[in-house]
Amino acid sequence: MESNLLGISFAGLSLENPTILASGILGYTAESLKRVAKGGAGAVVTKSIGASPRAGYPNPTVVQAEAGLLNAMGLPNPGIDVYSEEIKYAKTVLRVPLFVSVFGYSADEYASVASKAVEAGADAVELNVSCPHVKQTGAEIGQSPKFLSEVVEKTKAAVNKPLIVKLSPNVADITVLAQAAIEAGADALTAVNTLKAMAIDTETMMPILSNVKGGLSGPAIKPVALRCVFDIAEQFEVPIIGCGGITDWRDAVEFFLAGASAVEIGTAVADDDEVFRTICRGIETYLRKKHYGSVKEIVGLAHRK
Ligand code: RRO
């Protein structure tokens, strides 16, 4: 791989390429993160970690949907005190930046978990203010500019590493939340988390997920995610990670053209560890064919008037 075509500097971090493992996919153990990094990811994001252990929801927690996956895992995680050991170990086996995804039930809790994650070795923190189906955290915070500002401000003051805020698509105008996050000190934004959705079993005549509603990911949401990135990039200079249904190089290029500097890949990794490498090769071929010297040169080109 020629790193000069694909290498980026993102919120002060050097990435060998702009493809990143999205949070929630294969994301707890250092060994699984290492496997993804070997598949060519430029950085990896952990599953979201909170202040204390949480079991998550009972099964079924995942359902195959028409063009994607519907999940309501319910933030299962071991808690930051236990997970800090895994972060420390991950830092010894990973050769790419490690982003730790963090959630909380208050601004102070977000800040405290983020600070412990950084202390353990996180290269960046991704704030999950967008889980669509867990009460009193996630989207309940990320849908309110006031709560969001408070969480971002407190967390920013508690960490000395890049702070990335992952936004929800389940809002009327994502730019209002983007603005709140930026003004409160976010170094970058990830757009977007899953789209609130559900499925019903026609035999039992009941919702399939134990939690009734969940989050839709995968190709079904790509056009929505792309629109969110475009809307944010139209108004703000902030670095953006595009996320939502990216499966091949063409999807990734669409997100760059919309204004993303990097892309997160989640659902597509479930089928193929090597998806990062395959997508990177496709982006390189595209850049050469179009006579561009770097992926940076095509970021935001779809906004030309
Ligand atoms: O754990 C989950 O159920 C979950 C989370 Br934290 C999230 O941010 N997005 C999602 O679709 N599921």
Side-chain angles (χ1 to χ4, degrees), residues 47-48 71-76 128 130-134 193-194 215:
K47 176 110 183 79
S48 298
N71 90 84
M73 309 296 291
L75 283 161
N128 185 349
S130 44
C131 177
H133 46 256
V134 178
N193 206 313
T194 51

PDB file of all heavy atoms in Angstrom, residues 47-48 71-76 128 130-134 193-194 215, ligand 1:
ATOM      1  N   LYS A  47     -15.841  -0.980  21.451  1.00  0.00           N
ATOM      2  CA  LYS A  47     -17.256  -0.892  21.818  1.00  0.00           C
ATOM      3  C   LYS A  47     -17.360   0.129  22.951  1.00  0.00           C
ATOM      4  O   LYS A  47     -16.380   0.395  23.652  1.00  0.00           O
ATOM      5  CB  LYS A  47     -17.736  -2.291  22.253  1.00  0.00           C
ATOM      6  CG  LYS A  47     -19.172  -2.346  22.748  1.00  0.00           C
ATOM      7  CD  LYS A  47     -20.109  -3.090  21.789  1.00  0.00           C
ATOM      8  CE  LYS A  47     -21.581  -3.086  22.263  1.00  0.00           C
ATOM      9  NZ  LYS A  47     -22.318  -1.852  22.001  1.00  0.00           N
ATOM     10  N   SER A  48     -18.541   0.726  23.118  1.00  0.00           N
ATOM     11  CA  SER A  48     -18.673   1.793  24.115  1.00  0.00           C
ATOM     12  C   SER A  48     -18.523   1.264  25.541  1.00  0.00           C
ATOM     13  O   SER A  48     -19.109   0.242  25.896  1.00  0.00           O
ATOM     14  CB  SER A  48     -20.023   2.484  23.969  1.00  0.00           C
ATOM     15  OG  SER A  48     -20.116   3.079  22.705  1.00  0.00           O
ATOM     16  N   ASN A  71     -29.907  -3.742  15.623  1.00  0.00           N
ATOM     17  CA  ASN A  71     -29.391  -4.231  16.908  1.00  0.00           C
ATOM     18  C   ASN A  71     -29.937  -3.431  18.073  1.00  0.00           C
ATOM     19  O   ASN A  71     -30.211  -2.234  17.946  1.00  0.00           O
ATOM     20  CB  ASN A  71     -27.853  -4.190  16.929  1.00  0.00           C
ATOM     21  CG  ASN A  71     -27.342  -2.859  17.453  1.00  0.00           C
ATOM     22  OD1 ASN A  71     -27.223  -2.641  18.663  1.00  0.00           O
ATOM     23  ND2 ASN A  71     -27.068  -1.934  16.530  1.00  0.00           N
ATOM     24  N   ALA A  72     -30.107  -4.113  19.184  1.00  0.00           N
ATOM     25  CA  ALA A  72     -30.310  -3.441  20.472  1.00  0.00           C
ATOM     26  C   ALA A  72     -29.540  -4.295  21.477  1.00  0.00           C
ATOM     27  O   ALA A  72     -30.102  -5.159  22.151  1.00  0.00           O
ATOM     28  CB  ALA A  72     -31.778  -3.341  20.829  1.00  0.00           C
ATOM     29  N   MET A  73     -28.233  -4.068  21.509  1.00  0.00           N
ATOM     30  CA  MET A  73     -27.364  -4.814  22.420  1.00  0.00           C
ATOM     31  C   MET A  73     -27.559  -4.303  23.854  1.00  0.00           C
ATOM     32  O   MET A  73     -27.456  -5.067  24.813  1.00  0.00           O
ATOM     33  CB  MET A  73     -25.886  -4.605  22.061  1.00  0.00           C
ATOM     34  CG  MET A  73     -25.512  -4.835  20.599  1.00  0.00           C
ATOM     35  SD  MET A  73     -25.757  -6.509  20.065  1.00  0.00           S
ATOM     36  CE  MET A  73     -24.498  -7.329  20.976  1.00  0.00           C
ATOM     37  N   GLY A  74     -27.803  -2.999  23.956  1.00  0.00           N
ATOM     38  CA  GLY A  74     -28.026  -2.421  25.284  1.00  0.00           C
ATOM     39  C   GLY A  74     -26.748  -2.106  26.037  1.00  0.00           C
ATOM     40  O   GLY A  74     -26.702  -2.223  27.262  1.00  0.00           O
ATOM     41  N   LEU A  75     -25.722  -1.688  25.286  1.00  0.00           N
ATOM     42  CA  LEU A  75     -24.455  -1.234  25.888  1.00  0.00           C
ATOM     43  C   LEU A  75     -23.807  -2.250  26.828  1.00  0.00           C
ATOM     44  O   LEU A  75     -23.364  -1.894  27.929  1.00  0.00           O
ATOM     45  CB  LEU A  75     -24.696   0.080  26.663  1.00  0.00           C
ATOM     46  CG  LEU A  75     -24.830   1.334  25.806  1.00  0.00           C
ATOM     47  CD1 LEU A  75     -25.507   2.453  26.603  1.00  0.00           C
ATOM     48  CD2 LEU A  75     -23.473   1.814  25.339  1.00  0.00           C
ATOM     49  N   PRO A  76     -23.762  -3.517  26.448  1.00  0.00           N
ATOM     50  CA  PRO A  76     -23.052  -4.460  27.323  1.00  0.00           C
ATOM     51  C   PRO A  76     -21.578  -4.054  27.392  1.00  0.00           C
ATOM     52  O   PRO A  76     -20.979  -3.725  26.371  1.00  0.00           O
ATOM     53  CB  PRO A  76     -23.203  -5.811  26.593  1.00  0.00           C
ATOM     54  CG  PRO A  76     -23.388  -5.433  25.158  1.00  0.00           C
ATOM     55  CD  PRO A  76     -24.124  -4.107  25.166  1.00  0.00           C
ATOM     56  N   ASN A 128     -19.910   8.544  22.760  1.00  0.00           N
ATOM     57  CA  ASN A 128     -21.163   8.004  22.221  1.00  0.00           C
ATOM     58  C   ASN A 128     -22.320   8.755  22.861  1.00  0.00           C
ATOM     59  O   ASN A 128     -22.727   8.458  23.980  1.00  0.00           O
ATOM     60  CB  ASN A 128     -21.253   6.502  22.501  1.00  0.00           C
ATOM     61  CG  ASN A 128     -22.486   5.902  21.854  1.00  0.00           C
ATOM     62  OD1 ASN A 128     -23.368   6.628  21.385  1.00  0.00           O
ATOM     63  ND2 ASN A 128     -22.558   4.588  21.810  1.00  0.00           N
ATOM     64  N   SER A 130     -25.205   8.969  21.135  1.00  0.00           N
ATOM     65  CA  SER A 130     -26.120   8.687  20.030  1.00  0.00           C
ATOM     66  C   SER A 130     -26.685   7.274  20.001  1.00  0.00           C
ATOM     67  O   SER A 130     -27.345   6.910  19.028  1.00  0.00           O
ATOM     68  CB  SER A 130     -25.398   8.976  18.719  1.00  0.00           C
ATOM     69  OG  SER A 130     -24.076   8.459  18.741  1.00  0.00           O
ATOM     70  N   CYS A 131     -26.465   6.459  21.063  1.00  0.00           N
ATOM     71  CA  CYS A 131     -27.091   5.131  21.063  1.00  0.00           C
ATOM     72  C   CYS A 131     -28.606   5.351  21.055  1.00  0.00           C
ATOM     73  O   CYS A 131     -29.137   6.039  21.922  1.00  0.00           O
ATOM     74  CB  CYS A 131     -26.672   4.327  22.294  1.00  0.00           C
ATOM     75  SG  CYS A 131     -27.525   2.735  22.327  1.00  0.00           S
ATOM     76  N   PRO A 132     -29.317   4.767  20.060  1.00  0.00           N
ATOM     77  CA  PRO A 132     -30.727   5.152  19.898  1.00  0.00           C
ATOM     78  C   PRO A 132     -31.703   4.522  20.877  1.00  0.00           C
ATOM     79  O   PRO A 132     -32.860   4.886  20.876  1.00  0.00           O
ATOM     80  CB  PRO A 132     -31.037   4.699  18.462  1.00  0.00           C
ATOM     81  CG  PRO A 132     -30.077   3.614  18.169  1.00  0.00           C
ATOM     82  CD  PRO A 132     -28.850   3.893  18.999  1.00  0.00           C
ATOM     83  N   HIS A 133     -31.263   3.580  21.715  1.00  0.00           N
ATOM     84  CA  HIS A 133     -32.283   2.824  22.450  1.00  0.00           C
ATOM     85  C   HIS A 133     -31.928   2.500  23.895  1.00  0.00           C
ATOM     86  O   HIS A 133     -32.462   1.552  24.448  1.00  0.00           O
ATOM     87  CB  HIS A 133     -32.583   1.525  21.692  1.00  0.00           C
ATOM     88  CG  HIS A 133     -31.336   0.832  21.267  1.00  0.00           C
ATOM     89  ND1 HIS A 133     -30.882   0.852  19.976  1.00  0.00           N
ATOM     90  CD2 HIS A 133     -30.408   0.176  21.972  1.00  0.00           C
ATOM     91  CE1 HIS A 133     -29.740   0.209  19.908  1.00  0.00           C
ATOM     92  NE2 HIS A 133     -29.428  -0.209  21.110  1.00  0.00           N
ATOM     93  N   VAL A 134     -31.007   3.233  24.511  1.00  0.00           N
ATOM     94  CA  VAL A 134     -30.761   3.014  25.939  1.00  0.00           C
ATOM     95  C   VAL A 134     -31.146   4.292  26.685  1.00  0.00           C
ATOM     96  O   VAL A 134     -30.685   5.381  26.336  1.00  0.00           O
ATOM     97  CB  VAL A 134     -29.293   2.629  26.232  1.00  0.00           C
ATOM     98  CG1 VAL A 134     -29.079   2.470  27.745  1.00  0.00           C
ATOM     99  CG2 VAL A 134     -28.930   1.325  25.523  1.00  0.00           C
ATOM    100  N   ASN A 193     -24.359   7.489  14.098  1.00  0.00           N
ATOM    101  CA  ASN A 193     -24.713   6.236  14.768  1.00  0.00           C
ATOM    102  C   ASN A 193     -25.905   5.620  14.008  1.00  0.00           C
ATOM    103  O   ASN A 193     -26.266   6.074  12.929  1.00  0.00           O
ATOM    104  CB  ASN A 193     -25.066   6.529  16.232  1.00  0.00           C
ATOM    105  CG  ASN A 193     -24.833   5.332  17.151  1.00  0.00           C
ATOM    106  OD1 ASN A 193     -25.230   4.211  16.840  1.00  0.00           O
ATOM    107  ND2 ASN A 193     -24.208   5.562  18.285  1.00  0.00           N
ATOM    108  N   THR A 194     -26.512   4.609  14.585  1.00  0.00           N
ATOM    109  CA  THR A 194     -27.583   3.874  13.886  1.00  0.00           C
ATOM    110  C   THR A 194     -28.909   4.639  13.879  1.00  0.00           C
ATOM    111  O   THR A 194     -29.138   5.514  14.713  1.00  0.00           O
ATOM    112  CB  THR A 194     -27.783   2.503  14.547  1.00  0.00           C
ATOM    113  OG1 THR A 194     -27.942   2.698  15.958  1.00  0.00           O
ATOM    114  CG2 THR A 194     -26.603   1.601  14.292  1.00  0.00           C
ATOM    115  N   GLY A 215     -31.272  -0.131  16.647  1.00  0.00           N
ATOM    116  CA  GLY A 215     -30.606   0.755  15.699  1.00  0.00           C
ATOM    117  C   GLY A 215     -30.285   0.010  14.411  1.00  0.00           C
ATOM    118  O   GLY A 215     -29.740  -1.090  14.441  1.00  0.00           O
TER     119      GLY A 215
HETATM  120  O1  RRO B   1     -25.009  -1.309  22.485  1.00  0.00           O
HETATM  121  C1  RRO B   1     -25.908  -0.973  21.685  1.00  0.00           C
HETATM  122  O2  RRO B   1     -27.040  -1.478  21.701  1.00  0.00           O
HETATM  123  C2  RRO B   1     -25.683   0.079  20.666  1.00  0.00           C
HETATM  124  C3  RRO B   1     -24.961   1.230  20.894  1.00  0.00           C
HETATM  125 BR1  RRO B   1     -24.022   1.518  22.444  1.00  0.00          BR
HETATM  126  C4  RRO B   1     -24.897   2.248  19.890  1.00  0.00           C
HETATM  127  O3  RRO B   1     -24.276   3.313  20.036  1.00  0.00           O
HETATM  128  N1  RRO B   1     -25.549   2.040  18.738  1.00  0.00           N
HETATM  129  C5  RRO B   1     -26.251   0.909  18.522  1.00  0.00           C
HETATM  130  O4  RRO B   1     -26.827   0.764  17.440  1.00  0.00           O
HETATM  131  N2  RRO B   1     -26.293  -0.064  19.488  1.00  0.00           N
END
